[in-house]
Amino acid sequence: MSAQDRLTDALYGLGWGVVKKLPEPAAVRLGRTIADLAWKQRGKGVLRLESNYARVVPDASPERLAELSRAGMRSYLRYWMESFRLPAWSADRVKGGFDPKDLHYLTEGLAAGDGVILALPHLANWDLAGAWVTTKLKIPFTTVAERLRPETLYDRFVAYREGLGMEVLPHSGGSAFGTLARRLRDGGLVCLVADRDLSASGVEVDFFGATARMPAGPALLAQQTGALLLPVTLWYDESPIMRGRVHPPIEVPETGTRAEKTSVMTQALADVFASGIADHPEDWHMLQRLWLADLEPRPSDGAAA
């Protein structure tokens, strides 16, 4: 393990070991302080966040974009402070920490017995939403985690999410899709963060007027298993409670090839994600390149994108 990897792992370990012991007001203040310091330094992540916000709010002035990126960093650090503290939260604190609207789409879908896929963008705190599902609703679910470096950091995240009641599968390795399909055929719940393609072989969608790639998995799973595909959007307000909405199901088209159906369904997901992000852009934690025009060209691409 490199020195950088050891430092990264140590810092995350410090977060889970120390931040979760802080009183909640102190953790909130710490998160805001770190966010403001990071924002003032104008590092790569902040600049990328601001660039992404420029696509979401194309008529924003430079001053408005700066305000958005500052609010975005505060929201992002709220996510981290909550995540570091979640393992120490009481069941009542978890139950009271999330207030989703239109939950009936989820509960009725599970009651039908065909399985449900919840697809979310990187809005607010998806880990808190998951902990709420396992704690408040007492419904287990399966999700997929990106392989992180160092491996010890990935192990920390898996242990953290499993401690919140989730079954976590690695994104790489090729077996995740089959396991997810089996869970759905058994009438289970699958939750997937689905606004950023990690395979470079996702579905091209129009997203805020430009082309991006999003994963095909949610649409393919719905087609293959008959499970209900439900988009979910999340956001913060000024209270300690996270808000959210379960949106109406994305239907499988009656006609077309599998690829055509997947394209239509993924675009429909992207449209719902875009509406939620447009309503609460500061809670979209996308500090990476997303749109094809912003991605670094791969050697096989030839000319720059």
Side-chain angles (χ1 to χ4, degrees):
M1 186 189 299
S2 69
Q4 180 63 44
D5 285 348
R6 285 196 297 272
L7 176 61
T8 300
D9 183 61
L11 288 173
Y12 279 96
L14 184 66
W16 270 299
V18 175
V19 173
K20 73 178 181 181
K21 297 178 182 178
L22 293 175
E24 191 156 342
V28 170
R29 289 193 300 271
L30 177 62
R32 180 160 291 202
T33 298
I34 295 172
D36 288 349
L37 286 172
W39 178 76
K40 289 176 182 176
Q41 290 176 353
R42 308 288 290 165
K44 287 184 178 180
V46 172
L47 294 176
R48 175 49 50 192
L49 183 67
E50 205 163 287
S51 176
N52 289 340
Y53 286 161
R55 291 190 181 274
V56 174
V57 191
D59 58 348
S61 65
E63 293 77 16
R64 172 61 177 147
L65 285 175
E67 291 173 0
L68 265 179
S69 65
R70 183 177 189 179
M73 290 304 295
R74 288 182 171 184
S75 176
Y76 185 49
L77 264 294
R78 176 174 171 175
Y79 159 77
W80 277 112
M81 292 298 109
E82 286 179 349
S83 294
F84 287 142
R85 288 176 48 76
L86 261 176
W89 279 14
S90 68
D92 286 343
R93 177 67 181 89
V94 173
K95 292 175 184 177
F98 181 39
D99 178 28
K101 302 177 185 296
D102 297 327
L103 190 64
H104 64 93
Y105 289 118
L106 170 60
T107 55
E108 292 170 2
L110 289 171
D114 293 326
V116 172
I117 306 155
L118 296 180
L120 308 87
H122 285 81
L123 275 168
N125 191 340
W126 45 97
D127 285 326
L128 172 55
W132 186 89
V133 167
T134 59
T135 304
K136 174 76 172 181
L137 302 183
K138 299 189 183 303
I139 297 171
F141 67 87
T142 304
T143 189
V144 174
E146 178 184 359
R147 282 282 187 189
L148 300 172
R149 288 188 56 197
E151 189 74 14
T152 51
L153 179 57
Y154 171 77
D155 292 340
R156 285 186 190 275
F157 271 95
V158 170
Y160 157 64
R161 290 182 170 130
E162 288 179 343
L164 299 176
M166 312 174 193
E167 179 188 21
V168 183
L169 307 176
H171 181 271
S172 59
S175 63
F177 188 91
T179 302
L180 295 173
R182 287 193 294 274
R183 299 293 182 268
L184 292 168
R185 290 194 184 99
D186 290 339
L189 176 63
V190 163
C191 299
L192 301 170
V193 180
D195 58 343
R196 179 169 170 253
D197 178 50
L198 297 175
S199 66
S201 60
V203 178
E204 291 192 1
V205 296
D206 179 87
F207 197 55
F208 291 103
T211 303
R213 287 193 191 98
M214 293 189 181
L220 289 171
L221 284 166
Q223 292 176 61
Q224 187 161 318
T225 68
L228 200 65
L229 175 55
L230 299 176
V232 177
T233 54
L234 309 170
W235 66 92
Y236 289 129
D237 57 20
E238 295 302 316
S239 78
I241 300 171
M242 184 176 69
R243 313 296 174 175
R245 182 181 301 278
V246 182
H247 295 265
I250 302 296
E251 303 291 347
V252 177
E254 294 183 1
T255 60
T257 65
R258 184 170 74 164
E260 290 168 343
K261 292 178 180 179
T262 300
S263 178
V264 169
M265 295 172 72
T266 306
Q267 182 63 63
L269 264 183
D271 291 343
V272 177
F273 291 169
S275 69
I277 292 165
D279 287 343
H280 304 278
E282 68 279 4
D283 292 324
W284 189 41
H285 307 151
M286 186 56 66
L287 281 73
Q288 299 84 19
R289 299 173 188 268
L290 180 72
W291 283 272
L292 299 194
D294 298 333
L295 294 175
E296 297 288 349
R298 292 182 297 277
S300 60
D301 289 342

